[in-house]
Amino acid sequence: VQVVESGGGLVQPGGSLTLSCAASGFTFSNFAMYWHRQAPGKEREFVALINNGGTRTEYVDSVKGRFTISRDNAKNLVYLQMNNLKPEDTAVYYCKVPGSPSYWGQGTQVTVSS
């Protein structure tokens, strides 16, 4: 299993970024997919999930209305569209394939700063 995140960067408060997660080595359309993040000095936290068919999503309260998770099962890709970014969104963002064991990517840094 391979999981690779991309799309992070430096953005001003109020700006937008779209993260991508490319996954391979398993039957992608059979699995829900997750985004998590870890800010400096804090524990890794759940951000969003999408079910295998893309028909159900869940978000942590702090990003509801600003972030949107989506997926393309034909391309084995998961996206996290992030709008109205805030400094407190600064973190390394990780994509996860759930299971036992679960699989994580290496993460992509998102920095929100003026």
Side-chain angles (χ1 to χ4, degrees), residues 11-29:
V11 63
Q12 293 186 342
S16 298
L17 279 176
T18 299
L19 306 183
S20 298
C21 169
S24 60
F26 62 105
T27 305
F28 182 77
S29 59

Side-chain angles (χ1 to χ4, degrees), residues 38-105:
Q38 187 166 18
K42 295 187 176 181
E43 293 188 355
R44 194 171 297 188
E45 67 168 350
F46 164 81
V47 175
L49 73 84
I50 187 166
N51 71 342
N52 64 317
T55 57
R56 181 177 70 88
T57 59
E58 294 183 14
Y59 300 91
V60 66
D61 285 348
S62 59
V63 309
K64 285 181 180 178
R66 300 188 298 122
F67 289 12
T68 302
I69 188 171
S70 61
R71 66 190 294 159
D72 184 336
N73 283 349
K75 296 181 179 179
N76 286 18
L77 290 170
V78 182
Y79 304 100
L80 187 67
Q81 172 69 44
M82 306 184 295
N83 297 325
N84 190 21
L85 282 160
K86 303 177 180 181
E88 52 263 41
D89 295 317
T90 294
V92 179
Y93 284 72
Y94 297 91
C95 183
K96 184 182 80 174
V97 184
S100 184
S102 57
Y103 294 92
W104 299 81

